[in-house]
Amino acid sequence: MTKFFSKWNYPTTVLFGEGRIRELPDALAGAGIANPLFVTDPGLAQLPVVAMTLKLLDDAGVSYGVFSDVKPNPVESNLNAGVKVFRDGGHDGVIAFGGGSALDLGKLIAFMAGQSRPVWDFEDIGDWWTRADASAIAPIIAVPTTAGTGSEVGRAGVITNEATHTKKVIFHPRMLPVTVIADPELSVGMPPFITAGTGMDAFAHCLEAYCAPGYHPMADGIAVEGMRLVFENLPKAYEDGKDLTARANMMSAAAMGATAFQKGLGAIHSLSHPIGALYDTHHGMTNAVFMPYVLAFNREAIEERIVRLSRYLGIKGGFDGFAKAVLKLRKQLKVPHKLPGLIKGLEMDDKRKALIADMAVVDPTAGGNPVKLTKKNVLELLDASIEGK
Ligand code: NAD
């Protein structure tokens, strides 16, 4: 096998730009969906963006159902309830509308509605996805309202297994939405904390993909430009949520991050997944907390790449300059510097730390970290993030 070996998947159509949500009825027709289930979360369901979008469907004479029982970091009971509503309503496709939680759950409903095996049989392990009946997967239109996860251009859904308190990635190539409507106007209402957390999620995707070992110049190219967009636009979107240019560039960066992470992710995510599953923290904000500690930990393996990246970004001072720029960005966005700043009243005994380390080393993202993750070094990373060293 050649060392120039990589895999590239991107067969979705993205309709990008403000006002493009108006093309939703046409997108449904194009995907052959006559009776969609509109999947969103309860917070968004109360906001004008949802009312405006449902009115577009009403005006176009589209019959649809609405499902909004989706908690942040969705769980299996949300999925089962959604699948039931999908089946009972005779739906033939999904409009997944929201942040990563609603997008993932919408995608998983479309996937699971026609399957007879439990969802955990389709975890992103080897060829487990081939167990699914691909012909029974309903088509998906994805409409992101945050700018971070990039789930709209991904083939996976993340769901928490409440029995084991673990976040699982469920994968199938046909879970990729047929069409994405990426309309930055829909993200204008995001509050600052979610703007910061989701934006840092996009940044973490680009950074970890870029640092992951392996031959993938396309992913690397997308990741470096994604990071430029975040550095230049996330503080603006955070300061002024109505800055449409910043919002649009962040929506691009989010899709770019998820495109790039086909190459791999790393320790930021390996630690963030167990913390999110055990403490129900915001995924992107958790990534942002771990970022500088993982950057320092990986230094030896990534220094050359980071120096090259810094040149592209116009950041002086090589690796140290880049690390400082990350700290500055976090500060601008009021990201807590230590884990206890994110999880109020955090008390972690050795048993709990060992559990987190055990979960992190087997997380599917662990293999992408440029330095091999062991229980020992994950415990050190965890301590560093608790103490802020
Ligand atoms: P989220 O979907 O959990 O949403 C967070 C909050 O923001 C919710 O309360 C929601 O109502 C609110 N919100 C969303 N859009 C809004 C808007 N326009 N205006 C006002 N409020 C708005 O947050 P997220 O960070 O987008 O998604 C996180 C989830 O995505 C986690 O479960 C994470 O594990 C998953 N994830 C998936 C992938 C993937 O590849 N599929 C990648 C990364 C993360």
Side-chain angles (χ1 to χ4, degrees):
M1 188 192 299
T2 157
K3 67 175 179 163
F4 303 114
F5 186 79
S6 62
K7 197 169 175 185
W8 191 249
N9 290 282
Y10 206 54
T12 197
T13 299
V14 181
L15 306 175
F16 193 97
E18 61 261 47
R20 297 207 74 166
I21 190 61
R22 287 192 283 276
E23 294 172 53
L24 181 58
D26 288 345
L28 287 167
I33 304 174
N35 178 21
L37 180 64
F38 184 94
V39 178
T40 191
D41 70 53
L44 271 171
Q46 304 301 319
L47 296 180
V49 274
V50 165
M52 178 273 291
T53 305
L54 295 181
K55 185 170 184 308
L56 287 171
L57 298 180
D58 290 333
D59 291 349
V62 177
S63 72
Y64 59 87
V66 177
F67 177 76
S68 63
D69 183 13
V70 181
K71 72 177 276 306
N73 298 319
V75 293
E76 191 184 6
S77 53
N78 298 143
L79 174 60
N80 293 342
V83 166
K84 185 170 184 319
V85 171
F86 186 98
R87 288 176 180 160
D88 291 352
H91 295 290
D92 58 356
V94 163
I95 301 167
F97 187 100
S101 299
L103 294 179
D104 281 0
L105 203 80
K107 287 160 65 182
L108 286 166
I109 291 170
F111 172 61
M112 286 302 293
Q115 309 301 322
S116 50
R117 302 174 70 133
V119 67
W120 313 117
D121 281 5
F122 305 111
E123 220 186 307
D124 189 9
I125 297 174
D127 66 354
W128 283 21
W129 62 271
T130 59
R131 296 166 168 178
D133 177 357
S135 67
I137 302 171
I140 302 154
I141 307 284
V143 186
T145 64
T146 63
T149 72
S151 173
E152 65 274 14
V153 296
R155 300 160 297 157
V158 182
I159 186 160
T160 300
N161 185 333
E162 285 166 297
T164 59
H165 296 288
T166 44
K167 270 198 167 189
K168 298 288 185 192
V169 178
I170 309 300
F171 171 86
H172 195 285
R174 290 269 314 272
M175 229 192 292
L176 186 73
V178 181
T179 305
V180 174
I181 299 183
D183 182 339
E185 278 179 354
L186 302 179
S187 69
V188 158
M190 252 194 294
F193 178 85
I194 301 293
T195 300
T198 52
M200 287 304 279
D201 194 20
F203 189 79
H205 292 157
C206 292
L207 179 63
E208 294 218 286
Y210 177 71
C211 293
Y215 177 77
H216 214 314
M218 284 190 278
D220 291 342
I222 288 173
V224 294
E225 177 62 2
M227 284 185 269
R228 184 187 70 79
L229 289 176
V230 175
F231 268 122
E232 291 180 11
N233 293 281
L234 183 51
K236 291 182 191 163
Y238 181 78
E239 288 303 326
D240 176 10
K242 292 192 169 57
D243 182 337
L244 253 193
T245 307
R247 291 291 194 191
N249 283 327
M250 283 309 302
M251 211 166 243
S252 289
M256 291 161 84
T259 304
F261 78 55
Q262 292 184 26
K263 184 185 167 204
L265 287 168
I268 293 175
H269 278 81
S270 321
L271 274 158
S272 176
H273 285 154
I275 294 292
L278 293 166
Y279 297 96
D280 214 10
T281 52
H282 182 260
H283 172 72
M285 198 47 97
T286 317
N287 286 344
V289 171
F290 281 121
M291 193 174 287
Y293 309 104
V294 172
L295 206 52
F297 166 73
N298 285 333
R299 179 171 189 148
E300 211 171 300
I302 60 173
E303 181 147 11
E304 199 184 312
R305 311 203 110 226
I306 294 291
V307 168
R308 196 163 62 233
L309 168 67
S310 299
R311 278 202 296 273
Y312 178 74
L313 296 174
I315 293 171
K316 292 195 172 60
F319 185 93
D320 290 327
F322 181 79
K324 268 191 204 148
V326 168
L327 286 176
K328 183 176 165 204
L329 179 65
R330 275 163 102 246
K331 209 168 180 181
Q332 282 174 305
L333 305 171
K334 299 195 171 59
V335 173
H337 185 56
K338 304 181 203 176
L339 206 51
L342 182 69
I343 308 166
K344 303 294 172 220
L346 177 71
E347 278 178 28
M348 235 188 237
D349 60 15
D350 288 347
K351 203 170 149 208
R352 178 44 73 108
K353 285 180 187 171
L355 172 69
I356 292 166
D358 282 338
M359 290 162 88
V361 291
V362 297
D363 192 86
T365 59
N369 198 64
V371 175
K372 188 175 164 42
L373 291 185
T374 62
K375 195 170 166 181
K376 182 174 175 291
N377 60 29
V378 170
L379 282 170
E380 284 165 12
L381 262 174
L382 195 54
D383 279 336
S385 70
I386 291 171
E387 289 155 25
K389 288 192 214 147

